[in-house]
């Protein structure tokens, strides 16, 4: 049974002039409220999951010519009785139709309340509800792919599978606590360890997916770094196809970091130009260099730009120590008769030789970036990934409780302690999908939706 006994109403389309504007009702009175003011051309056409044509009447006078659909529980957006009235788009019409509904006993829906009902009524989990919110905001193809998969329940399924693995172990432990004379932990120690180790690997992968998931939705950070005058700013301008950064032959021209957005194959990318890394007495330049290092610390990929005609591999130690993926870019290849050997340092990094002044070369660089980015984040869109900080925090909480449990098991602690840790893991996973999420967090999530969603 659905827990809500009131009926809510709201505009399902954005305000303003448009071809159609939709009023949506959800709750037990939806259909009877509709019938007080809807006059169908053919009364038998008002059937569930089909469209009926007619007029909305206000005190007997036609207010709008509309199409109406109603959906019976549980096969509707909210899993309740839902009515949608397709009016002509226009602020006044929608307001008047909503007023008719309110006069008949409906209540104005709050932000995200339809989706919240779908969640509370168990049609979708919290990650799917969040996907509904993200779907309207997503700006790139890959982001859309990820969010649609989340809406279809890919992330939910991943978490469900993990929970099942853990629940199985918990049941085994429960049996042992109930019948302490048979030392079940002892009997099944190996099996339990194997099961929990496998679960840990899955959970670890899930926690790791958060970075990629957020990269897809929020953006991938590419930082151009290297010695002064190697052509970093020229590369930024070339990739953006506009003269955004100042380029001169004077070393030390770029003194501050500069960030611009573009997309590579559907992934939003934040491209950052930085001050050249060198020892300098100039105070402003020193500050710029500190900023460069700060940007690199947050980068997903460093483009280490070198002058191919005179490569200088010297970099400040704090940059050398950074552990992040790198692409070595030998720029000014047009001036280099032979290309230098890649340095032994960072031997694992890929290299590309090009000229920032050549359009085909820049296209080649873009293709390379596409390849690097999609190998990092592409598969995530398919498998489902954590896409926001809330989910990530809960997954990390689950991982640390599971580690505690594994440690307890190793140290031969009793099954009670292990059961307790596993319950904490299940609780944290339940928070991701909305089973054990605190009320105020739910309110915050749905409160960020628009009215009528
Ligand atoms: N021949 C040649 N000159 C380049 C190339 N890329 C940049 N330059 C020149 O190198 C100088 C420094 O470029 P700039 O982008 O300001 O370097 P930054 O200090 O690393 O940002 C400018 O005079 C550019 O025109 C290239 O691929 N070939
Ligand atoms: Mg520059």
């Amino acid at each position: 049974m659905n827990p809500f006994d009131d009926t809510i109403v709201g505009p399902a389309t954005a305000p303003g002039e448009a071809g159609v504007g939709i009023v949506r009702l959800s709750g037990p009175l939806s259909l009877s409220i509709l019938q007080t003011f809807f006059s169908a051309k053919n009364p038998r056409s008002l059937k569930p999951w089909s469209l009926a044509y007619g007029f909305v009447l206000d005190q007997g006078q036609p207010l709008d010519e509309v199409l109406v659909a109603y959906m019976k529980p549980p096969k509707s957006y909210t899993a309740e009785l839902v009515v949608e009235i397709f009016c002509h788009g226009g602020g006044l019409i929608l307001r008047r139709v909503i007023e008719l509904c309110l006069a008949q006993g409906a209540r104005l829906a709050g932000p995200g309340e339809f989706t919240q009902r779908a969640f509370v009524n168990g049609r979708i989990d919290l990650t799917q509800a969040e996907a509904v919110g993200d779907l309207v905001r997503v700006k790139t193809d890959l982001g859309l792919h990820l969010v649609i998969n989340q809406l279809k329940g890919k992330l939910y399924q991943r978490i469900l599978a993990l929970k099942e693995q853990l629940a199985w172990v918990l049941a085994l432990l429960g049996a042992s606590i109930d019948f302490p004379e048979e030392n079940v932990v002892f009997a099944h120690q190996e099996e339990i360890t194997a099961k929990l180790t496998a679960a840990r690997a899955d959970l670890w992968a899930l926690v790791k997916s958060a970075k990629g998931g957020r990269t897809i939705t929020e953006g991938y950070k590419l930082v151009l770094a290297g010695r002064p005058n190697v052509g970093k700013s020229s590369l930024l301008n070339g990739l953006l196809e506009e003269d955004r950064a100042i380029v001169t032959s004077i070393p030390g021209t770029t003194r501050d970091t500069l960030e611009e957005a573009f997309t590579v194959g559907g992934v939003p990318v934040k491209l950052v130009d930085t001050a050249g890394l060198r020892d300098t007495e100039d105070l402003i330049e020193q500050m710029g260099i500190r900023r460069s290092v700060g940007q690199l610390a947050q980068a997903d990929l460093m483009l280490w730009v070198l002058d191919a005609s005179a490569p200088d591999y010297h970099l400040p130690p704090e940059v050398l120590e950074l552990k992040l993926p790198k692409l070595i870019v030998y720029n000014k290849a047009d001036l280099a008769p032979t290309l230098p050997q890649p340095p032994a340092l960072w031997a694992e990094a890929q290299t590309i030789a090009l000229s920032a002044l050549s359009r085909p070369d820049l296209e080649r660089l873009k293709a390379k970036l596409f390849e690097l980015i999609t190998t990092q984040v592409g598969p995530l869109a398919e498998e489902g990934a954590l896409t926001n900080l809330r989910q990530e925090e809960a997954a990390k909480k689950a991982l640390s409780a599971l580690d505690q449990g594994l440690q307890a098991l190793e140290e031969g602690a009793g099954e009670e302690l292990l059961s307790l840790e596993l319950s904490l893991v299940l609780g944290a996973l339940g928070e991701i999908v909305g089973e054990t999420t605190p009320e105020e967090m739910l309110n915050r999530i749905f409160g960020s939706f628009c009215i009528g969603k």
Side-chain angles (χ1 to χ4, degrees):
M1 262 295 62
N2 290 337
F4 301 103
D5 52 14
D6 58 346
T7 298
I8 53 174
V9 64
T13 45
E17 288 177 29
V20 281
I22 304 172
V23 172
R24 185 189 260 167
L25 288 143
S26 181
L29 294 180
S30 301
L31 191 58
S32 50
I33 290 174
L34 173 78
Q35 282 163 330
T36 62
F37 56 72
F38 176 59
S39 162
K41 179 98 190 302
N42 170 4
R44 274 174 308 166
S45 66
L46 193 60
K47 294 182 301 214
W49 305 293
S50 45
L51 285 175
Y53 166 76
F55 281 84
V56 167
L57 303 178
D58 184 7
Q59 298 179 356
Q61 295 301 311
L63 178 64
D64 194 14
E65 181 191 30
V66 297
L67 286 171
V68 162
Y70 87 89
M71 285 139 277
K72 287 206 297 190
K75 289 187 179 174
S76 74
Y77 184 69
T78 57
E80 299 177 344
L81 185 61
V82 166
V83 165
E84 288 183 358
I85 309 166
F86 301 80
C87 307
H88 287 100
L92 180 63
I93 294 174
L94 290 201
R95 199 162 67 235
R96 293 284 294 280
V97 174
I98 288 172
E99 277 165 10
L100 288 174
C101 298
L102 296 175
Q104 296 299 327
R107 171 173 71 70
L108 197 60
E113 207 174 345
F114 290 96
T115 309
Q116 186 163 18
R117 286 194 171 194
F119 164 68
V120 174
N121 293 332
R123 192 183 67 79
I124 55 175
D125 84 303
L126 193 55
T127 65
Q128 289 170 299
E130 285 177 319
V132 171
D134 289 342
L135 206 50
V136 294
R137 292 181 211 121
V138 75
K139 298 210 168 39
T140 63
D141 292 341
L142 194 65
L144 185 60
H145 192 53
L146 176 75
V147 173
I148 280 287
N149 275 335
Q150 185 170 322
L151 186 68
K152 279 164 60 188
K154 280 264 166 85
L155 178 56
Y156 181 49
Q157 294 304 333
R158 260 183 99 161
I159 291 164
L160 220 55
L162 256 171
K163 288 182 68 187
E164 273 164 19
Q165 285 171 282
L166 296 166
W168 182 89
V169 175
L170 209 52
L172 207 60
L173 291 169
S176 123
I177 294 168
D178 293 342
F179 308 101
E181 64 281 2
E182 300 160 43
N183 196 334
V184 177
V185 168
F186 183 72
H188 294 279
Q189 173 105 27
E190 262 177 33
E191 209 176 344
I192 289 178
T193 308
K195 209 65 173 188
L196 290 185
T197 310
R200 194 201 183 271
D202 291 351
L203 186 51
W204 171 242
L206 189 71
V207 169
K208 277 216 319 207
S209 76
K211 188 163 165 19
R214 282 202 278 135
T215 296
I216 296 174
T217 48
E218 289 167 18
Y220 188 92
K221 193 161 190 158
L222 273 181
V223 178
L224 292 156
R227 305 282 301 167
N229 223 31
V230 293
K232 299 178 294 299
S233 299
S234 304
L235 277 168
L236 175 106
N237 289 345
L239 287 170
L240 298 176
E241 296 183 41
E242 62 173 295
D243 277 340
R244 183 65 190 81
I246 299 171
V247 169
T248 74
S249 56
I250 307 162
T253 303
T254 310
R255 292 169 157 228
D256 201 353
T257 56
L258 176 76
E259 180 172 318
E260 286 293 322
F262 75 120
T263 66
V264 176
V267 183
V269 171
K270 293 178 255 178
L271 182 63
V272 185
D273 187 18
T274 61
L277 301 163
R278 65 166 171 184
D279 291 328
T280 172
E281 296 299 314
D282 184 316
L283 268 179
I284 302 175
E285 204 181 337
Q286 281 175 4
M287 287 172 76
I289 292 172
R290 272 205 295 282
R291 288 194 180 189
S292 307
V293 177
Q295 286 288 347
L296 282 170
Q298 302 163 19
D300 293 302
L301 180 70
M302 167 177 172
L303 296 185
W304 183 18
V305 188
L306 292 150
D307 181 339
S309 63
D312 176 350
Y313 297 106
H314 179 263
L315 283 178
E318 61 266 46
V319 174
L320 288 173
E321 282 157 18
L322 288 171
K323 290 206 179 356
L324 81 166
K326 293 153 203 102
L327 174 64
I328 298 177
V329 182
Y330 286 112
N331 187 37
K332 308 196 190 182
D334 53 315
L335 302 181
T338 54
L339 285 175
Q341 283 292 314
L345 172 81
W346 290 342
E348 83 286 7
Q350 303 211 33
T351 57
I352 187 169
L354 50 77
S355 164
L357 311 177
S358 144
R359 185 71 354 237
D361 279 10
L362 288 166
E363 291 309 319
R364 212 157 37 79
L365 175 60
K366 277 192 191 168
K368 184 82 195 165
L369 292 175
F370 177 70
E371 183 194 312
L372 288 172
I373 293 173
T374 45
T375 46
Q376 268 182 44
V377 300
L380 291 175
E382 213 43 64
E383 297 157 9
L386 302 175
T387 48
N388 62 41
L389 202 57
R390 179 195 78 77
Q391 298 167 357
E392 187 181 353
E393 291 298 309
K396 280 186 179 158
K397 204 157 75 180
L399 184 64
S400 99
L402 183 55
D403 280 339
Q404 301 265 342
L406 276 165
Q407 198 185 339
L409 190 63
E410 204 170 292
E411 288 165 1
E415 42 268 41
E416 275 95 350
L417 187 63
L418 184 54
S419 296
L420 181 75
E421 293 296 351
L422 294 188
S423 315
L424 291 177
V425 181
L426 283 173
L429 291 175
E431 227 175 87
I432 302 180
V433 298
E435 283 158 11
T436 51
T437 315
E439 191 70 29
E440 71 269 14
M441 188 176 282
L442 290 177
N443 289 340
R444 212 170 35 241
I445 292 169
F446 290 108
S448 72
F449 282 43
C450 47
I451 301 256
K453 248 264 160 277

